[in-house]
Amino acid sequence: MAGSCLNICELNLTTPPLINALKMTKQKAVITAIGGYAPDYILNNEELSKMVDTSNEWIMTRVGIKERHILKGEGKGTSDMAVEAIKQIFDKSGTKPEEIDMVICATTTPDHIFPATANIISDKLNIRNAHSFDLNAGCSGFLYALDTGSKFIEAGAKKKVLVVGADKMSSIVDYTDRTTCVLFGDAAGVVLLEPSSDETGIIDSILQSDGFGRAYLHMKAGGSVNPPSHETIDNKEHFVFQDGKHVFKHAVSNMADVSVEMMKKHSIAPEDLAWLVPHQANLRIIDATAQRMGIDKQKVMINIERYGNTTSATIPMCLYEWEKQLKKGDNIILAAFGAGFTWGSLYLKWGYDTNEM
C-alpha cells in the first residue's frame, strides 16, 4: 500500500500531456435541438400609445422595440408556451418524453408559486422519468439554467436535459406605467442538452450576482415579506418595479465586462467569434456590449424590435430564430443581465448543422 501511494504521489500532475488527457476525458454538454414559441397576439406601439402616454418614436428611440407578443386566453400561463416549444424539439430530434431525465425551467413568472412550473410542463407532456425544478435569476435565468443543466451532464448524472427559458411578462406588467409596459413581451425558448461526442458543446461560463441591485428592479409585494393584501393590490405592488437609470448603467458595464472577460480567457479574437447572443432588454445595451467586444453588429443576434424583453426567453428565442444560420463548431457567446442583480456570459461551440437534422 505504501509503495502504491508513493508511486501515485510521485506522478507529476502538472505535465501538459496529463492535463490534456484529463481535458479530453471530460464530458461536455451540447445543444442538440431547439424550439421556440411566441403567442399569436401582437401588441404594437400604435396600440400601446392608445393605452398609455407614449409613442412609437419615444419607444423606438429609447429601447428599440416595435412590437411584443402577448399570451391571451383564460387559464393560459408560462407552462403553455414552454409546452409548445418542447413539442418542436420532440418532433425535430425524435426524442420521446420518457427519455428526458431532467427539466429545468428558468422563469420569473411561474404558473403558480408552487408547484414548480417545470413540474407542470412535465405533467402536460407526460414526462415521467425526470426530476424537474424552476430557477429564478431574472433575465439571466436561462444562462444560469443552461450552466446548471450542463453540469449534470458533465458529471454523467443525466443524458437528456430540457432547459426552458419562458416568461409571461404581461401577467406582471402595469399597462398604465409607460416606463415598464413598453418593454416586455411573452415567449418561450427551449434547448435539449445531451452529452457531446466531439469538441462541440458548452465550454465555459462566468456567472455573477450582487444583491445590492434588488432595490432597483423587483416586485414589491407577493412574497413572504409583503404578502398579498387589499393594500398591496390597491397600490399596484404586484407589478414590475424598475429604476431604469440604475438598471441601464449596471447592465451596460456588467454585461460588456463579462463578455470581454470570456473572450480574453479563451483567446477569442473578434474575427473568431461567429455570434454574440445578448439578452434583449434594450438596443442601446446590446450595441454597447458589441462595441466593447470589438465585434461587427452583423455578428449580433437582435430580435428585440419584434419581441421586446421576454426575460428568460430572449436568448433561446434568438438561437431558435437563427438556427438555420448556425454551423457546427461556431464560437458563440451568450450574455445576459437581470434583476438581482444577476449577469453572466457562457461560451459554447455549436453542435450541429441544421441541414443534418
Side-chain angles (χ1 to χ4, degrees), residues 327-344:
K327 299 176 182 178
K328 186 173 182 176
D330 275 353
N331 289 315
I332 301 175
I333 288 181
L334 318 179
F337 180 90
F341 289 136
T342 60
W343 66 96

Side-chain angles (χ1 to χ4, degrees), residues 230-249:
H230 285 295
E231 184 179 3
T232 63
I233 293 172
D234 291 342
N235 293 335
K236 297 184 176 183
E237 294 179 352
H238 296 267
F239 297 121
V240 175
F241 168 82
Q242 175 173 279
D243 183 330
K245 290 182 179 180
H246 277 92
V247 173
F248 180 86
K249 173 185 175 182

Side-chain angles (χ1 to χ4, degrees), residues 188-207:
V190 185
V191 299
L192 175 63
L193 288 180
E194 298 183 80
S196 175
S197 59
D198 51 35
E199 291 304 305
T200 62
I202 296 172
I203 308 299
D204 195 10
S205 63
I206 304 172
L207 303 176

Side-chain angles (χ1 to χ4, degrees), residues 276-290:
L276 167 66
V277 191
H279 171 54
Q280 309 286 304
N282 186 305
L283 188 57
R284 291 183 293 164
I285 296 173
I286 295 171
D287 289 342
T289 300

